Amino acid sequence: MISVKAVFAYLLVALLAAALFLVLLFPDQAVKSYVDGQLAAIDPSLSMEAKTIRPALPPGLKMIGIDLNREGVRLAHFEDARVAPDLASLLQDEKQVRFQAHIADGTIDGRATVQGTGPSGPLRVEADLFDIRLDKLEAIKADAPFSLSGALKGRMTHDASRTPTGMTSGLLNVSDLHITLKTPFFGITDLVMDQTDADFSVSRGSLRLKSLTFDGPMLEGKISGTIELRQPFEQSRLILTGNAKPRPELIARLQETIPQGIVNTQTLGTRGLTFRVRGSIDRPDVSMR
């Protein structure tokens, strides 16, 4: 008769063997193909690469060294990510998957919902962003006419059932935003904002900026309009209008740099400066009134 110890040993070996085969033979390419398919539904030029994709406990996936690319150019690097299904939803028409990823010293927590019986059904993704460092995001290219730093947080949603290519919307906030211009604008090279809030949506290759409000020790104001997204990103077309009210320190600096007759520096602190931005990101055309 086989002893209890022997049965336990055989069971342990079987479990270890199953775990080993699961790790070694895990269909990471199938997972990558599925993710690429979902990214392509958002933007055909997007793709994902991961150094490793492995099963994890509780049941789910763990990915390490993830690159999000557009046409072979890396937009973002994630240190790691975990994906786990909501087991209670597997037998329902709407299946949910929860995920967490680490990027640029921050965290993204979210949930994806797939409708229908297969993975190709309409997809909805909701994500909360926490303390992501702007200066560590590769999507903000080094050859842009400015550099950004600050802590990004907020909430974003992508709904694939909205329009043929889906719609992405978000409410984002950046605290301690620091903007450094590579080319001075009326002698100004640096701006600091205590709080910056953006309400936006992206659909059909166009970013609609419903409201971008900013408030800092030197400047406060609001911008709205659209950005027609192009590749490379620096060639995206701008159609923006806004109003900015300089604080006393900035007004004093502008009085020394703005030629007489262009704007009335005496009323800048009360009525502000209304402006319009056209052209491209790398070559903006700013007009004021």
Side-chain angles (χ1 to χ4, degrees):
M1 178 179 295
I2 301 177
S3 67
V4 174
K5 290 184 179 180
V7 172
F8 180 77
Y10 289 142
L11 180 59
L12 181 59
V13 171
L15 290 175
L16 289 174
L20 180 63
F21 278 107
L22 185 62
V23 171
L24 295 179
L25 302 178
F26 185 75
D28 56 336
Q29 289 302 316
V31 173
K32 181 181 181 302
S33 297
Y34 172 72
V35 174
D36 281 344
Q38 295 296 339
L39 289 174
I42 301 173
D43 184 338
S45 65
L46 294 176
S47 64
M48 182 201 78
E49 294 181 4
K51 184 177 180 181
T52 60
I53 304 177
R54 291 290 183 263
L57 293 176
L61 303 176
K62 181 177 181 179
M63 296 178 280
I64 298 175
I66 309 149
D67 289 337
L68 178 63
N69 303 316
R70 175 182 279 127
E71 297 180 345
V73 177
R74 187 163 76 176
L75 295 179
H77 175 77
F78 298 83
E79 289 82 16
D80 59 71
R82 285 182 174 269
V83 182
D86 184 347
L87 299 179
S89 71
L90 294 181
L91 300 179
Q92 301 176 5
D93 184 58
E94 288 190 351
K95 298 171 178 57
Q96 295 184 352
V97 175
R98 297 188 177 276
F99 59 89
Q100 183 183 80
H102 295 99
I103 177 175
D105 295 343
T107 304
I108 300 177
D109 280 312
R111 178 180 64 186
T113 302
V114 180
Q115 299 178 356
T117 58
S120 61
L123 176 72
R124 178 179 174 85
V125 181
E126 301 170 287
D128 293 308
L129 288 65
F130 303 95
D131 299 324
I132 296 174
R133 303 301 306 180
L134 291 179
D135 53 300
K136 294 189 176 183
L137 290 178
E138 296 181 63
I140 303 174
K141 298 183 181 295
D143 55 352
F146 55 82
S147 62
L148 303 176
S149 64
L152 172 68
K153 63 181 180 180
R155 184 172 181 83
M156 295 182 63
T157 301
H158 176 76
D159 190 346
S161 65
R162 301 282 301 275
T163 78
T165 57
M167 175 179 288
T168 301
S169 58
L171 290 170
L172 300 178
N173 168 271
V174 180
S175 57
D176 298 324
L177 175 64
H178 192 159
I179 306 171
T180 301
L181 302 176
K182 295 181 179 180
T183 301
F185 182 71
F186 289 118
I188 306 300
T189 57
D190 295 280
L191 287 173
V192 178
M193 303 297 172
D194 296 327
Q195 292 292 330
T196 305
D197 298 280
D199 182 359
F200 70 95
S201 63
V202 182
S203 179
R204 299 178 183 268
S206 177
L207 187 154
R208 180 191 174 199
L209 190 60
K210 301 176 184 178
S211 174
L212 173 64
T213 59
F214 47 90
D215 189 359
M218 297 177 66
L219 188 69
E220 67 169 313
K222 180 178 180 180
I223 300 174
S224 61
T226 60
I227 301 176
E228 299 297 331
L229 301 175
R230 297 183 180 180
Q231 292 300 322
F233 178 72
E234 291 79 10
Q235 295 182 9
S236 298
R237 307 300 296 178
L238 304 170
I239 308 174
L240 304 172
T241 58
N243 180 270
K245 293 181 180 180
R247 306 291 193 192
E249 177 187 348
L250 183 57
I251 292 176
R253 294 173 61 179
L254 290 174
Q255 286 177 330
E256 299 176 356
T257 57
I258 294 181
Q260 294 291 329
I262 293 182
V263 294
N264 185 355
T265 56
Q266 301 300 318
T267 61
L268 281 179
T270 55
R271 294 192 305 176
L273 178 67
T274 299
F275 59 89
R276 184 178 68 177
V277 184
R278 297 293 187 269
S280 60
I281 289 179
D282 59 348
R283 291 186 177 181
D285 179 16
V286 182
S287 60
M288 298 172 288
R289 65 178 187 274

